[in-house]
Amino acid sequence: MALAAADRATVRALWKKMGSNVGVYATEALERMFLGFPSTTTYFLHLDLSLGSTQVKAHGQKVADALTLAVEHLEDLPRALSALRHRHVRELRVDPASFQLLGHCLLVTLARHFPGDFSPTLHASLVAPTPGA
Amino acid sequence: MVHFIAEEMAAVACLRAKVNMEAVGEILGRFLVIYSLTQSFFDNFGSLSSHSAIMGNPRIKAHGKKELTSFGSGVKHVDDPKGTFAQLSELHCGKLHVDPENFKLLGNMILIVLAIHFSKEFIPQMQAAWEKLTTGVANALAPRKYH
């Protein structure tokens, strides 16, 4: 589902505010997902998943880069993320429900770090793209 | 049934003691804003015409507080969630025909509001304990035949 212009502007404004910390927040979202939903660790058994792990941080940065790509292409998310989608679904065979869980943990992370900004309107704008991504 | 270790119960109790009614009143409002199709269950609650109308609606706030009070029973009776929520399950699923998926989504909303109001305390371990709790309550509210 394409986002309305106002929602795109809202999401991009938050991304700008996050600045160079997108990787930090994506890493925190991953850590939250691993702790809250242990079944998701099944895809990362080759990594050290302890809190503070540099390998999780590295993967967090990859997630951050993908999210930033998504934010830059909110007008056409399916096309922008098609290669990533193919890799995760076809090659890595990740259960699509896991993307919902990571999306939820990302929302919790952002709500925690930007409580004053996390209005219901911003929240609604973020929920629209996170399932699609 | 969800099993909690002592540290998880302590974490949940600690945060629950700090939750104020302002935060509680916000949860259902956010849920209706984010998942607008669910507004149909509250058609007779007054104006839901905009985000601000929903968030300021006194009946929605009051109902949200009622829901969270019931949720609190789940916290006190983690050993028997199905028994604790049997009547509410029948009301929501049997009579109101609420899709059980909505219980999980409302649980997600509780966590988001906790993260907003308790930034410092809502570390990953705290979230994990609350995820167990909200999942347990959502499962307890779902129709018995689903398990």
Side-chain angles (χ1 to χ4, degrees):
Chain A
M1 187 178 83
L3 280 182
D7 290 325
R8 295 198 298 267
T10 302
V11 172
R12 283 173 175 148
L14 179 68
W15 228 255
K16 196 171 172 183
K17 199 166 180 176
M18 287 159 69
S20 57
N21 287 325
V22 180
V24 172
Y25 300 134
T27 300
E28 182 177 328
L30 281 172
E31 288 173 343
R32 286 178 179 274
M33 184 179 72
F34 295 148
L35 266 178
F37 307 98
S39 64
T40 58
T41 61
T42 193
Y43 303 108
F44 298 93
L45 296 179
H46 57 292
L47 297 184
D48 165 18
L49 297 181
S50 54
L51 277 178
S53 153
T54 52
Q55 291 179 326
V56 173
K57 279 184 193 169
H59 196 77
Q61 189 55 55
K62 285 186 190 175
V63 171
D65 292 342
L67 289 170
T68 299
L69 176 73
V71 171
E72 287 167 358
H73 295 91
L74 289 173
E75 291 80 359
D76 190 8
L77 268 181
R79 200 157 62 99
L81 298 179
S82 64
L84 264 176
R85 182 186 191 85
H86 180 89
R87 174 160 168 71
H88 282 81
V89 174
R90 299 283 183 194
E91 294 175 18
L92 301 172
R93 300 186 194 276
V94 176
D95 181 349
S98 299
F99 303 129
Q100 301 272 355
L101 296 177
L102 182 58
H104 165 63
C105 290
L106 183 62
L107 290 174
V108 169
T109 302
L110 295 178
R112 183 181 175 231
H113 288 283
F114 299 95
D117 298 278
F118 216 80
S119 64
T121 301
L122 170 64
H123 188 170
S125 299
L126 288 169
V127 166
T130 46
Chain B
M1 195 170 88
V2 181
H3 294 280
F4 292 85
I5 60 174
E7 289 82 359
E8 288 168 335
M9 289 305 305
V12 166
C14 169
L15 201 59
R16 182 169 170 261
K18 295 181 183 182
V19 173
N20 63 30
M21 283 295 117
E22 192 57 41
V24 165
E26 183 183 335
I27 292 167
L28 180 60
R30 274 187 185 259
F31 180 73
L32 295 176
V33 165
I34 307 304
Y35 303 107
S36 56
L37 291 178
T38 60
Q39 291 172 23
S40 62
F41 291 107
F42 300 90
D43 275 343
N44 61 343
F45 272 56
S47 177
L48 303 178
S49 57
S50 66
H51 292 182
S52 56
I54 294 170
M55 297 306 292
N57 185 310
R59 289 189 65 186
I60 294 295
K61 283 187 187 180
H63 194 78
K65 287 171 190 171
K66 198 170 153 187
E67 287 183 343
L68 268 293
T69 303
S70 297
F71 182 84
S73 304
V75 177
K76 286 183 191 161
H77 300 100
V78 291
D79 52 338
D80 182 25
K82 275 292 182 191
T84 303
F85 291 105
Q87 281 187 315
L88 277 173
S89 176
E90 173 55 29
L91 170 64
H92 284 81
C93 298
K95 292 187 179 149
L96 299 174
H97 304 294
V98 175
D99 182 340
E101 184 64 22
N102 288 316
F103 305 139
K104 292 182 193 170
L105 295 177
L106 186 62
N108 288 351
M109 208 58 54
I110 291 172
L111 265 64
I112 299 274
V113 172
L114 288 175
I116 288 169
H117 289 274
F118 301 100
S119 301
K120 198 171 127 197
E121 293 92 335
F122 216 65
I123 58 176
Q125 294 86 341
M126 179 69 82
Q127 178 184 349
W130 278 86
E131 294 285 359
K132 265 194 186 178
L133 180 63
T134 55
T135 298
V137 173
N139 288 342
L141 283 168
R144 285 182 185 266
K145 65 182 177 184
Y146 281 26
H147 297 280

